[in-house]
Amino acid sequence: MSKPTTAEFIRVLAADGFREILHFPLWWYTTGLMRTFQWATSSIKGAPTFFGLDVWVKNLFVPMYGDESFVGRLISFGVRFFVVLVRGLVVVLFSLAVVVMAILYVVVLPLMIFMFIAHLMGMLL
Amino acid sequence: MTRLGIQIGERTYAWRKALSPEAIARRAMQEKVARWMTVVNIFKLTISGLISLILLFLAGGEALSIAFWLIPSWTTVFVSLTVLFGLFLFYHRAQRQKTVDAMPTGEISDMQELPDEGATAVHLGELFSEDATIAVETAYELATKFGHQNVEPLHLFIGAMDGGEAPIAFSRLGLTFESMQEALGRRLSTRELGKPTVVGETGQRTMLAALVHATEQQRPHVTSLELFAASYGADAFLQELLLEHGVDEERFSNMIEWLRIHERMRERYDRFRRAAAYKPTGAMNRAMTSVATPTLDAVSEDLTAAAVGGRLPMLIERHQEIEHIFRVIEGGRQSVMLVGPEGVGKTTILAGIAELMVEERVPEILQDKRLVRISVPHLVSGATPAEAQERLLTILSEVAKSRNIILAVSDIDQLVTGEGASDLAVTFVDFLSRSGTFAIATTSPRAHVRLVERSVLSRIFQKIVIVEPDHTSAIHMLQSKIGGIEFEHKVIFGYDAVEKAVTLSDRYMHESYLPKKAIEVCRETAQKVSSERGENALVRGEDVAEVVSSKTGVPTQAVEQDEKEKLLGLEDRMHERVIGQREAVSAVAAALRRARTELRAQNRPIATFLFLGPTGVGKTELAKTVAQTYFGDENMMIRLDMSEYQAPDSVNRLLGAPGSESGGLLSEAVRKNPFSIVLLDELEKAHPNILNLFLQVFEDGRLTDSAGRTVDFTNTILIATSNAGTSSIQDAVARGEGLDTIKTHLIEEELRGTYRPEFLNRFDGIIVFTPLSQEEVRQITELFMAQVARRLEPKGIGFRAEPEAVAELAEKGFDPKFGARPLRRLVQEEVDNAIANALLEGKVKRRDTIVLGPGGGIEIEQGEAL
C-alpha cells in the first residue's frame, strides 16, 4: 500500500479544514440546535428532582421529623410550604437560565461573526 | 456479488462499502488529519484567547462599559474571534465524537440476500468502533497480501487479534498467537485465490453476526471483541484449533462473557455514582420525614449508606430472585425471607437491593427509604431476655416513627428464642403485622426447618428459596470478583483457574456452597501464587487444583509425568502388598486409572467392587492397598462390619435415627471424609433393607441421612466383601476350573439366594479371589518377615530369615480353609516371641542382626563395634 506523502497530507488537511468551516454554520443550526434543545428540555425536566422539589411537594402534608402532633403538623406544613416556595423559585430561575442559554446559542454565532467583521473593518478602514 | 443484510427494527443493515488499499489509506489519513485539526483548533483558541486577555488587561475598567464593546477596537476584534474559535472547537469535538451511529433496537430478522446490492441498507461499518474498523482493515490487508479472493472469518479472527479486547481474552485463555501461527499459516495457504479481494459471503455473515450479538447485548457499538467471537462461531477450523489448545465453546463464550461482565460493571458503576449523589447517607431522607434512630444505629448497619460509599459487593445474575422479591413486596407489602445455604449469596442479594434503592430503581414503596440491617447478636448481647426485648421494642418504635426504614435481618432464626411471650420473634412479628411495614430476612434451610417453620415468623414471611447457582452462573459471579482479587494480590487469573475453582470446589468441597467456596479458593490461590512467584504472576488452573488438593486431600491436579508412570505400573506396586489375585488387582488398578484420568461417570462412586472368596486370601489387604495408593493413606477407609446390621432397623444406625440431628455411622463418616474407601465386610450378613440402601448409592452416588442432609458418595470407592459361595470356589479351584467359569457359576447359582440380580448388576466388578497356593503363601511369609525387619529397624537391629525357615513357616501356616490368616498368628507365636525373649535377655545390641533359622531357632550375628 502506498504511503501518503507530506504534500498529500497537507492538501487533505487544507481541504478537510475548508470543508469543516463551510459545514460549521449548517451543523450549528441543525444537529447542534437539536442537541441544545434536547439538553435544555432535559435540564428543565430534571430540575425539580435535582433541587428536591418533587419530594417536598409530595410530602407537603407529612409531618417533619416524625412529629405527629397537631402543632407539629402545623409547623411542619408551614416550613414545608416555605421550602417548597423557595425551591420552586430556584427551579424557575434555573429553568430561565437554561432558556437564556438556549437563546444565546441561537444568536451567538451570527452576533460574533457580525461583531468580528464589523470591528475588523472599523479598525482596518 | 451476494449482498447479505439483516433487518433490525425498521432498518436494514449490510456491509456495503468496498474495501481497497486506497480507501484504507484514505481513512487512516483522514484520522490523522482530524487529530491534527484538533491540535490546530486548540492552538488557535489559545493564542487568540491570550491576546484577548492581554488587550482586556490593557483596556482596564473601560472594558466594563457597553460603549466599549460598540466601538471598534483590537480588543473587541480578538474577543469576538476567540469566541468564534471556541464555538468552532465545540463543533469540531462534537463532530469527532459522532463517529459511531446509534445502535439499532427492535426485532432482529434472519440474514437474507438483499435485492439491488442493498442500496437502501445502512452501512454496517457506521456502527463499528475504531478497533473493529481496524480489525476489518487488517483482515482485508491480510487477504490481499495472500492474494485471497474473499475476506473470511479466518482473516477477521486474525484481524481482531490486532487490538481491542480480543488479545486479553486470548491471554486469559492461556493461548498465545505464536503457538497457533503455524496452523493458521497452513490454513491461510489453502484459501481460494483471486482478485480483487472482496468481503465474501462468510465474511459478511460474520460481521452481521457481530452486529446481532452487540445488539442483543445492548452494546453501544460493535467492537473487535464481537468480531472475534463471531468469527470463532462461524469457522469450524478455528473452533477445532482452539479445542486443540484446550478451549471448547463453553470456555470461549464464558471468556467473552467475562470481559462483558467487567464492562457492564464499569457502566453500572458510573451510573450508580451519578445516582448516589442524590441519595442521602444520614438518617434523614430527602423528604425530611424521618427521625433520629440512636438505638437502631447502635445495633445495625445502614446498607444504603454503605452502597453509596461503595462498600458493598456488586450483584451479578440473580435477576429473577430480585424480581420475585419486588413482586412479593409490591404485591401486598409482605415481608420476605430468603432461604438459602451459607455462601450462595443471600447477603449479596441484600446488597443488590440496597444498590437498586440508591439508584431508586425500585418499586415506589421502597423509594426514598433506607435499608438497615439489624445484627441480632448485637441486639441481644449482654442483655437479659427482658432487656433484649425492651431494646427490640425501642428499635421497632424508632423504625415506626422514622417511616423511611426497611429492616433487613440476617439469620432471622436467631430471633427465635422460644420463651413464650418474651420470644423476640413474637415481638418482631407483632410489630410487622401492626405497623403495616415489612422486612427482608435471611436464613439457612436447616434453620428454617428447625426454628422458623414452627415459629410465628412463618406466618408473616413469604419464603423465597435462593438456590446454589449453576456452573455457568457461578463462573460469571466469580468472574465479577476476580478483578478485586487480582488487584489485592497483584496477580492475573487465567480463565482456566476461574473455571477450575468452580468445578473443583463444586466437586470436592461439599460442606460449603457456590459461589462463596470458589471465591475463597481463588483468594487463597492468589495469595499463594503472589507469595511464591511474585507480582503479576499468572494464576493457572494447576495452582487452583493444588489449593483444592491441599484443602481436601484428593489429588486433583492433572496427572504429571512421574505420576503417569506410577499409574501405569499400578499393578506392580499393588502386588508388593497383595500376593497373587492377579485378576482382582488388575480390575482395581484399571478402575483407579479411569478415575484419575476423569473418564469415570461423575455422578456415581469412583468404583464399586464385590470381592468374593474365602477368608484370608487378601480381600481386605487389597482394599487397604487401594486406600494407600489412591488416597495416600491406608487409614482413609470406612470399615463397616455388616454382620452388625442384621436387624431390619439397623438402617437407622447407618443413616441416623429419625428425628435425630446427629446422623448415622455411615452417613457421618462419609460426610466428614468424602474421599475414602467404604469397606462393607461380609455383606451377605446384612439385612436385605440395607442392600436396597446401597443399591441407591451405587446408582446415584448419594444418600440422604435422617436430618435431611445429602451425603455425597461420588468420591468414594465402595468395596463389599463376601464369603458367600466360598466352598463352591474352593471345590472349583481344586477341580482346576477357570476363573470365568467359577464366576459365572457363582453369579448364576450360588449368589442367587443371597443377592438379587439387579444388586449384583450394579457393581462395576465382581471379583473372585482364589484360594492361595503353597507358593503364594511362601511369598506372603516373606512379606511378613519383611514386616518384622521393619519393626526392628528403629531399634538399630537387623533381621533376616533363612529360606528354609521361610519355607517351613509357610508350610506350617498354610491352611486351605483360612488362607494366610493362621500364618500371621504363627509368625507372632514363633518369630515375634523368640525375638522378644532375646531382646529381654539382653542378647541383642544395636547393629546386631537376628537370623531366623529352620525350626524357629534364632541366632545373633554380632555387629561391628564402634
Side-chain angles (χ1 to χ4, degrees):
Chain A
M1 212 175 313
S2 58
K3 269 213 147 199
T5 59
T6 317
E8 207 176 331
F9 174 72
I10 292 171
R11 193 181 56 76
V12 175
L13 185 67
D16 276 13
F18 191 62
R19 198 178 313 125
E20 209 176 19
I21 291 173
L22 283 185
H23 186 233
F24 176 40
L26 184 70
W27 180 88
W28 194 261
Y29 287 107
T30 51
T31 317
L33 188 64
M34 196 125 81
R35 279 195 199 177
T36 310
F37 182 70
Q38 278 163 0
W39 165 80
T41 40
S42 73
S43 300
I44 292 171
K45 267 188 199 160
T49 311
F50 185 74
F51 292 104
L53 183 66
D54 50 354
V55 179
W56 281 83
V57 170
K58 211 159 68 186
N59 291 287
L60 194 58
F61 300 104
V62 181
M64 290 173 77
Y65 310 117
D67 185 356
E68 308 255 352
S69 66
F70 178 72
V71 178
R73 277 176 182 275
L74 203 67
I75 296 173
S76 174
F77 176 77
V79 172
R80 278 190 191 276
F81 189 71
F82 178 71
V83 172
V84 164
L85 278 187
V86 171
R87 284 179 190 250
L89 194 67
V90 171
V91 168
V92 169
L93 287 178
F94 174 81
S95 307
L96 272 179
V98 170
V99 170
V100 166
M101 278 166 86
I103 293 170
L104 208 61
Y105 178 91
V106 178
V107 297
V108 72
L109 187 61
L111 187 74
M112 283 301 127
I113 292 174
F114 173 77
M115 188 166 147
F116 173 68
I117 294 171
H119 286 206
L120 186 67
M121 301 277 270
M123 290 307 289
L124 292 178
L125 298 177
Chain B
M1 195 189 71
T2 325
R3 179 87 62 207
L4 290 172
I6 199 164
Q7 191 169 354
I8 303 178
E10 299 289 299
R11 300 166 85 177
T12 308
Y13 294 84
W15 182 267
R16 286 184 52 205
K17 277 194 187 152
L19 286 164
S20 69
E22 294 73 34
I24 293 173
R26 204 180 317 123
R27 202 197 62 81
M29 190 152 74
Q30 271 167 349
E31 191 56 36
K32 203 170 154 192
V33 162
R35 272 200 297 273
W36 265 94
M37 283 197 350
T38 309
V39 174
V40 169
N41 283 328
I42 292 172
F43 182 74
K44 285 190 304 195
L45 179 67
T46 318
I47 296 296
S48 157
L50 278 176
I51 296 174
S52 306
L53 275 179
I54 294 168
L55 291 173
L56 278 171
F57 179 73
L58 291 177
E62 269 182 66
L64 296 175
S65 67
I66 294 177
F68 176 81
W69 295 97
L70 297 175
I71 303 158
S73 70
W74 284 117
T75 314
T76 53
V77 169
F78 272 98
V79 168
S80 53
L81 190 64
T82 306
V83 175
L84 277 174
F85 281 159
L87 298 178
F88 190 77
L89 186 65
F90 172 72
Y91 147 75
H92 176 77
R93 303 286 299 193
Q95 287 287 92
R96 288 278 289 151
Q97 279 162 7
K98 198 208 72 168
T99 47
V100 175
D101 246 9
M103 282 294 278
T105 48
E107 207 174 308
I108 303 170
S109 75
D110 287 336
M111 283 181 210
Q112 54 197 339
E113 206 171 306
L114 297 180
D116 39 299
E117 289 271 296
T120 55
V122 179
H123 176 50
L124 203 54
E126 304 287 326
L127 304 172
F128 278 24
S129 67
E130 177 73 15
D131 60 347
T133 311
I134 291 174
V136 175
E137 288 174 0
T138 314
Y140 175 79
E141 281 169 9
L142 185 74
T144 44
K145 193 174 137 197
F146 280 82
H148 292 159
Q149 174 70 66
N150 294 311
V151 174
E152 295 176 5
L154 181 67
H155 302 104
L156 289 167
F157 184 83
I158 300 172
M161 291 292 301
D162 223 29
E165 287 179 306
I168 302 175
F170 225 57
S171 66
R172 291 237 191 215
L173 283 167
L175 305 170
T176 57
F177 190 66
E178 287 72 35
S179 65
M180 301 190 173
Q181 218 166 6
E182 229 173 274
L184 287 170
R186 270 198 300 277
R187 180 72 178 173
L188 279 172
S189 63
T190 62
R191 305 289 81 202
E192 188 191 343
L193 300 177
K195 270 185 181 175
T197 304
V198 291
V199 181
E201 195 187 317
T202 50
Q204 290 184 45
R205 275 187 193 281
T206 307
M207 289 198 245
L208 288 169
L211 169 68
V212 169
H213 190 252
T215 311
E216 281 169 351
Q217 297 280 319
Q218 298 173 350
R219 308 307 313 146
H221 40 239
V222 182
T223 66
S224 62
L225 190 65
E226 267 88 32
L227 276 178
F228 184 67
S231 49
Y232 169 82
D235 192 335
F237 163 79
L238 291 172
Q239 290 163 15
E240 187 59 35
L241 178 65
L242 262 64
L243 195 60
E244 197 174 285
H245 287 79
V247 178
D248 59 14
E249 267 180 73
E250 193 196 343
R251 285 180 159 206
F252 188 86
S253 68
N254 272 339
M255 183 60 237
I256 301 290
E257 189 56 30
W258 188 356
L259 296 171
R260 287 278 158 273
I261 286 171
H262 268 234
E263 215 164 303
R264 249 177 269 144
M265 280 172 75
R266 217 170 24 239
E267 282 165 15
R268 243 167 80 178
Y269 183 77
D270 288 344
R271 198 180 58 220
F272 181 73
R273 290 266 56 98
R274 276 199 299 277
Y278 290 96
K279 190 80 182 175
T281 50
M284 194 49 64
N285 52 346
R286 289 190 93 201
M288 294 192 132
T289 50
S290 55
V291 288
T293 51
T295 320
L296 175 66
D297 294 347
V299 297
S300 70
E301 181 196 8
D302 187 337
L303 292 178
T304 31
V308 170
R311 294 192 298 276
L312 293 186
M314 215 175 244
L315 183 68
I316 297 288
E317 313 253 329
R318 300 282 189 203
H319 309 290
Q320 283 177 341
E321 284 85 350
I322 292 273
E323 257 174 49
H324 192 173
I325 294 168
F326 284 169
R327 218 168 36 235
V328 171
I329 291 176
E330 226 180 350
R333 298 174 76 96
Q334 248 196 317
S335 297
V336 288
M337 184 175 309
L338 311 179
V339 182
E342 146 82 9
V344 294
K346 299 187 296 287
T347 313
T348 314
I349 291 178
L350 285 183
I353 295 174
E355 272 167 17
L356 289 172
M357 285 172 75
V358 170
E359 292 183 57
E360 304 289 13
R361 293 198 299 143
V362 284
E364 208 184 332
I365 194 167
L366 286 172
Q367 282 171 10
D368 199 22
K369 300 251 160 69
R370 56 193 188 112
L371 186 66
V372 178
R373 180 167 59 194
I374 305 183
S375 155
V376 180
H378 269 92
L379 179 73
V380 298
S381 64
T384 62
E387 281 167 350
Q389 199 177 25
E390 198 181 321
R391 265 190 215 171
L392 182 63
L393 281 169
T394 318
I395 287 170
L396 295 178
S397 87
E398 283 179 0
V399 171
K401 269 190 198 156
S402 79
R403 309 220 298 193
N404 72 327
I405 291 172
I406 306 293
L407 279 180
V409 190
S410 288
D411 300 320
I412 197 167
D413 45 280
Q414 292 169 334
L415 279 183
V416 184
T417 46
E419 286 156 22
S422 68
D423 189 346
L424 294 179
V426 175
T427 316
F428 192 59
V429 167
D430 180 54
F431 165 75
L432 287 179
S433 53
R434 275 188 306 110
S435 66
T437 179
F438 55 94
I440 304 171
T442 70
T443 187
S444 68
R446 286 191 64 193
H448 188 259
V449 172
R450 207 157 43 91
L451 297 166
V452 178
E453 236 170 25
R454 293 175 211 158
S455 77
V456 283
L457 288 172
S458 63
R459 267 188 240 156
I460 198 151
F461 280 93
Q462 179 138 343
K463 175 179 165 187
I464 293 180
V465 178
I466 308 295
V467 292
E468 194 175 18
D470 63 22
H471 185 252
T472 312
S473 296
I475 287 183
H476 294 167
M477 289 173 185
L478 180 58
Q479 282 171 340
S480 76
K481 297 273 179 191
I482 289 293
I485 300 176
E486 284 181 339
F487 177 74
E488 205 175 308
H489 296 283
K490 309 273 178 297
V491 289
I492 298 157
F493 272 80
Y495 174 78
D496 193 31
V498 174
E499 194 193 71
K500 276 248 162 69
V502 172
T503 317
L504 295 180
S505 64
D506 189 29
R507 195 181 302 163
Y508 298 113
M509 296 162 71
H510 294 277
E511 292 290 280
S512 45
Y513 292 84
L514 285 173
K516 192 180 185 183
K517 58 185 176 186
I519 296 169
E520 273 167 7
V521 164
C522 278
R523 260 185 221 292
E524 221 168 288
T525 315
Q527 157 67 29
K528 183 166 170 280
V529 168
S530 116
S531 64
E532 277 173 8
R533 300 209 288 271
E535 276 187 18
N536 296 328
L538 180 75
V539 180
R540 297 159 309 182
E542 279 303 285
D543 300 314
V544 170
E546 234 171 78
V547 167
V548 174
S549 282
S550 71
K551 282 171 96 86
T552 59
V554 184
T556 57
Q557 297 97 318
V559 184
E560 291 196 359
Q561 195 54 44
D562 55 338
E563 204 192 342
K564 268 182 201 162
E565 280 159 25
K566 231 198 265 178
L567 280 171
L568 289 173
L570 210 54
E571 278 92 340
D572 293 339
R573 274 168 34 100
M574 289 168 91
H575 274 304
E576 283 170 17
R577 284 188 65 167
V578 179
I579 302 296
Q581 315 300 358
R582 230 152 251 297
E583 195 224 18
V585 168
S586 43
V588 171
L592 295 187
R593 276 195 288 265
R594 281 200 301 274
R596 197 66 189 88
T597 46
E598 312 231 318
L599 286 177
R600 69 181 177 99
Q602 296 292 347
N603 56 353
R604 300 186 60 231
I606 295 172
T608 49
F609 292 117
L610 175 61
F611 288 176
L612 292 172
T615 178
V617 294
K619 299 193 295 286
T620 311
E621 191 63 22
L622 183 56
K624 280 186 187 168
T625 314
V626 173
Q628 166 87 54
T629 333
Y630 194 73
F631 299 110
D633 186 351
E634 70 167 55
N635 295 321
M636 296 290 266
M637 186 155 79
I638 298 163
R639 192 169 170 170
L640 297 172
D641 208 334
M642 298 317 284
S643 57
E644 294 169 16
Y645 301 90
Q646 298 185 10
D649 61 351
S650 9
V651 175
N652 294 343
R653 284 181 60 208
L654 289 178
L655 300 182
S660 111
E661 281 287 313
S662 54
L665 287 176
L666 174 67
S667 57
E668 275 304 286
V670 175
R671 214 167 59 83
K672 284 182 185 142
N673 288 311
F675 321 98
S676 43
I677 287 196
V678 179
L679 180 66
L680 310 170
D681 246 342
E682 301 191 73
L683 186 68
E684 77 278 4
K685 294 192 177 137
H687 191 270
N689 281 359
I690 290 182
L691 298 188
N692 289 340
L693 195 79
F694 283 108
L695 208 63
Q696 189 200 332
V697 176
F698 292 172
E699 198 56 31
D700 303 330
R702 59 205 191 123
L703 268 184
T704 308
D705 73 1
S706 60
R709 285 173 298 222
T710 306
V711 183
D712 179 64
F713 277 76
T714 55
N715 295 302
T716 59
I717 296 178
L718 274 152
I719 297 178
T721 71
S722 176
N723 296 335
T726 297
S727 55
S728 136
I729 299 175
Q730 281 165 339
D731 295 346
V733 170
R735 283 197 300 275
E737 279 177 24
L739 263 182
D740 286 337
T741 330
I742 301 177
K743 202 193 293 181
T744 317
H745 173 75
L746 270 177
I747 294 172
E748 286 177 0
E749 306 289 331
E750 299 288 329
L751 298 181
R752 275 177 81 177
T754 322
Y755 307 110
R756 284 185 292 159
E758 69 263 32
F759 183 73
L760 290 175
N761 273 336
R762 296 264 157 69
F763 282 104
D764 292 335
I766 296 178
I767 293 159
V768 177
F769 281 62
T770 49
L772 296 169
S773 68
Q774 185 73 43
E775 170 56 20
E776 282 164 351
V777 173
R778 196 192 56 73
Q779 285 176 28
I780 294 169
T781 316
E782 271 175 10
L783 282 186
F784 281 151
M785 293 301 107
Q787 277 175 11
V788 174
R790 263 204 303 281
R791 281 203 294 273
L792 284 170
E793 219 173 58
K795 300 187 201 306
I797 298 165
F799 175 79
R800 195 175 74 234
E802 299 286 351
E804 298 82 30
V806 173
E808 199 182 279
L809 274 175
E811 201 175 327
K812 263 170 124 178
F814 176 65
D815 181 338
K817 236 186 189 164
F818 295 109
R821 207 149 275 167
L823 189 64
R824 191 184 293 274
R825 210 165 39 242
L826 189 74
V827 169
Q828 236 172 43
E829 280 167 9
E830 302 223 337
V831 185
D832 290 355
N833 287 352
I835 295 173
N837 289 338
L839 284 173
L840 287 173
E841 284 163 15
K843 285 183 194 162
V844 199
K845 304 188 300 295
R846 282 184 74 83
R847 292 182 299 286
D848 288 352
T849 305
I850 299 174
V851 182
L852 178 73
I858 59 167
E859 281 173 30
I860 316 285
E861 278 180 9
Q862 299 289 328
E864 278 178 38
L866 285 176

